[in-house]
């Protein structure tokens, strides 16, 4: 009986334990599938919603190409040259006693550059003046003797031979006087040559001789080189052109044209600010290259342009055309091709190969490959790969303002300064 009771109690406890543990097991069995379903549902929802998976579409600025009437130009590369170059050499020999300019300064014609010791030449001039005075005295004496003798001829007091001798002495005295006067002028010139002055205006080089050195005067290369001066206003711009340009210039000359206009820009300038005109073509074409040397005269009132500088020139060919312009920022490079990116009506970016022209007022001319109604991405075209969808916002293509005036040069120091806008 007691054993039966113990067995019954043990069974009852086991049943209670089983009943108590079953809901937990049931919840565990139910919770695991729900978690799997929930995770699977999240995964399905995440994969099925593109707004959560794809990045937002890029926004680009678009505008229609700017349409303008532009002049047609031919482009060339050339170099500036001095319109005049003078090697300053002394006319007389002597010791340099003074240097009166600063290296690289701008000088005017007639400015004093060097002084040569004038004392030997002043002494030579004084000697020549003394000989001139002696010659004048001899002439006066000869003239007086002749005047006293002439009245005696009528009374046969003197012979005709004596009169002829007196006239010959007067003529000799006149010749001696002329020689003395010429010697005075020569000695005066030598004295003036001791002051070496600028023969032309322009920019002077550095001094080759310091004060205290002896220099050799004379003509040609035998004389000592003191410095050089380049005339810079106007300045020449020389370049090689094709036979077609030569023919064009000759036709213009026959038509009475004063000279084709030329515009030049320097290597660091975005616009053609320097104006000039053609004034010279060489007397023959190079048979090897088929080109001819051409020269333009460019105004350089502030002496900013310097011989030896490179420049890009454009020469008007006398025509005008309508052109489409876009900023350079809109142009991409694909190996050897130039591309612009346009946006279609469906918002898809498309690459267009284009042929580029010159820069006009800061904008690039598109010769072909683009239409006037195309919507061009004018900034950051790399944000829109061809074939991709983009969002757009309107923009404007604005030409650049006129270039700033050329820098001014101080006529005393030669230093360039820039005018404020």
């Amino acid at each position: 009986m007691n054993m039966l009771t113990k067995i019954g109690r043990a069974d009852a406890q086991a049943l209670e334990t089983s009943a108590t543990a079953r809901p937990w097991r049931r919840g565990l069995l139910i919770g695991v599938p729900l978690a799997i379903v929930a995770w699977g549902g999240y995964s399905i929802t995440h994969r099925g919603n593109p707004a959560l998976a794809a990045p937002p579409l890029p926004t680009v600025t678009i505008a229609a190409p700017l349409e303008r009437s532009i002049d047609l130009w031919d482009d060339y590369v050339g170099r500036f040259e001095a319109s005049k170059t003078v090697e300053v050499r002394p006319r007389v020999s002597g010791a340099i006693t003074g240097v009166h300019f600063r290296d690289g300064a701008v000088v005017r014609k007639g400015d004093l550059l060097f002084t040569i010791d004038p004392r030997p030449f002043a002494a030579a001039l004084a000697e020549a003046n003394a000989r001139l005075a002696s010659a004048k005295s001899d002439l006066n004496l000869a003239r007086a003797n002749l005047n006293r003798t002439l009245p005696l001829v009528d009374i046969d007091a003197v012979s005709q031979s004596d009169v002829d001798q007196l006239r010959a002495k007067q003529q000799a005295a006149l010749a001696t006087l002329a020689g003395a006067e010429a010697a005075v002028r020569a000695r005066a010139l030598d004295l003036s040559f001791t002051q070496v002055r600028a023969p032309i205006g322009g920019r002077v080089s550095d001094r080759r001789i310091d004060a205290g050195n002896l220099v050799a005067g004379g003509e040609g290369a035998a004389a000592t080189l003191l410095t050089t001066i380049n005339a810079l206003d106007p300045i020449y711009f020389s370049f090689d052109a094709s036979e077609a340009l030569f023919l064009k210039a000759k036709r213009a000359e026959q038509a009475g044209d004063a000279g084709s206009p030329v515009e030049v820009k320097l290597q660091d300038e975005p616009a053609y600010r320097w104006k000039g005109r053609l004034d010279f073509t060489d007397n023959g074409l190079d048979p090897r290259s088929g080109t001819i040397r051409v020269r333009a005269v460019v105004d350089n009132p502030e002496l900013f342009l310097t011989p030896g500088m490179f420049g890009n020139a454009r020469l008007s060919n006398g025509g005008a055309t309508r052109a489409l312009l876009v900023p350079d920022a809109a142009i991409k490079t694909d190996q050897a091709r130039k591309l612009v990116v346009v946006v279609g009506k469906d918002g898809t970016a498309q690459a267009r190969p284009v042929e580029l022209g010159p820069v006009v007022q800061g904008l690039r001319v598109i010769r072909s490959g683009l239409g006037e109604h195309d919507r061009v991405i004018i900034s950051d075209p790399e944000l829109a790969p061809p074939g991709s969808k983009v969002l757009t916002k309107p923009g404007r293509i604005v030409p650049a303002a006129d270039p700033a005036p050329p820098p001014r040069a101080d006529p005393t120091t030669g230093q360039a300064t820039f005018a404020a806008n």
Side-chain angles (χ1 to χ4, degrees):
M1 191 67 179
N2 291 336
M3 287 296 296
L4 292 174
T5 302
K6 291 180 180 180
I7 294 173
R9 290 178 178 174
D11 292 340
Q13 289 177 357
L15 290 174
E16 289 178 0
T17 302
S18 176
T20 303
R22 190 178 295 117
W24 177 82
R25 292 175 181 173
R26 186 183 300 115
L28 179 62
L29 293 176
I30 294 174
V32 170
L34 288 177
I36 294 174
V37 173
W39 180 266
Y42 171 79
S43 177
I44 293 172
T45 303
H46 179 68
R47 293 174 183 172
N49 190 350
L52 297 177
L57 297 178
T59 301
V60 296
T61 304
I62 61 171
L66 185 64
E67 187 176 4
R68 285 286 180 91
S69 178
I70 63 171
D71 295 328
L72 298 178
W73 301 85
D74 298 321
D75 296 328
Y76 301 94
V77 177
R79 186 190 293 270
F80 287 99
E81 300 175 353
S83 55
K84 295 178 182 178
T85 299
V86 174
E87 293 183 343
V88 180
R89 298 177 185 270
R91 301 287 296 273
V92 294
S93 301
I96 296 293
T97 58
V99 179
H100 308 285
F101 68 95
R102 190 176 58 84
D103 294 347
V106 176
V107 298
R108 293 183 294 270
K109 182 178 181 179
D111 285 353
L112 181 61
L113 303 180
F114 295 90
T115 299
I116 299 174
D117 187 2
R119 293 173 296 176
F121 304 97
L125 178 59
E127 182 181 0
N129 282 323
R131 291 177 179 176
L132 175 61
S134 177
K136 288 181 178 179
S137 177
D138 292 342
L139 176 61
N140 291 334
L141 178 59
R143 185 178 289 121
N145 290 335
L146 178 62
N147 291 336
R148 283 193 298 266
T149 304
L150 287 177
L152 300 178
V153 176
D154 296 335
I155 60 175
D156 294 331
V158 293
S159 65
Q160 187 63 40
S161 175
D162 293 337
V163 174
D164 292 341
Q165 290 179 0
L166 292 175
R167 284 179 175 170
K169 289 181 179 180
Q170 181 181 354
Q171 294 296 327
L174 284 172
T176 303
L177 177 62
E181 290 175 343
V184 168
R185 289 193 296 269
R187 300 293 81 77
L189 276 176
D190 289 343
L191 181 61
S192 67
F193 291 154
T194 60
Q195 292 185 341
V196 182
R197 298 183 178 273
I200 61 172
R203 190 179 299 279
V204 66
S205 182
D206 61 332
R207 62 186 183 277
R208 307 296 175 84
I209 295 293
D210 291 319
N213 288 281
L214 292 174
V215 295
E219 302 292 337
T224 304
L225 178 63
L226 301 180
T227 187
T228 58
I229 301 176
N230 287 332
L232 304 181
D233 184 29
I235 193 170
Y236 290 153
F237 183 80
S238 297
F239 58 95
D240 292 330
S242 63
E243 183 177 352
L245 176 62
F246 172 72
L247 294 175
K248 188 187 304 180
K250 298 300 288 185
R251 304 297 184 195
E253 182 180 348
Q254 292 177 350
D257 192 355
S260 301
V262 177
E263 296 183 357
V264 185
K265 70 174 182 178
L266 303 181
Q267 299 298 313
D268 62 342
E269 293 177 341
Y272 294 84
R273 65 167 61 184
W274 306 97
K275 313 298 181 183
R277 64 192 182 280
L278 288 184
D279 80 318
F280 166 79
T281 54
D282 209 347
N283 57 359
L285 282 83
D286 187 342
R288 295 169 297 181
S289 62
T291 60
I292 189 169
R293 188 169 65 91
V294 182
R295 187 182 71 192
V297 178
V298 180
D299 293 332
N300 187 27
E302 308 303 335
L303 308 184
F304 179 77
L305 300 175
T306 302
M309 296 173 63
F310 278 100
N312 296 320
R314 63 181 186 181
L315 178 66
S316 174
N317 61 16
T321 186
R322 301 293 294 180
L324 301 179
L325 297 93
V326 299
D328 273 334
I331 299 171
K332 297 175 59 177
T333 300
D334 180 15
Q335 294 182 351
R337 298 188 307 167
K338 298 295 182 180
L339 309 172
V340 297
V341 182
V342 300
V343 179
K345 295 182 178 180
D346 58 350
T348 302
Q350 304 172 2
R352 293 277 185 87
V354 293
E355 180 184 356
L356 303 183
V359 176
V360 177
Q361 289 187 300
L363 300 177
R364 178 67 64 176
V365 173
I366 303 298
R367 298 187 186 273
S368 63
L370 199 61
E372 59 183 1
H373 300 296
D374 286 332
R375 302 192 302 168
V376 180
I377 299 178
I378 59 176
S379 65
D380 300 326
E382 62 275 2
L383 297 179
S388 63
K389 295 286 186 178
V390 294
L391 300 177
T392 62
K393 62 179 180 179
R396 291 182 59 197
I397 298 177
V398 181
D402 292 334
R408 299 179 177 271
D410 189 329
T412 58
T413 63
Q415 299 296 322
T417 58
F418 292 80
N421 293 331

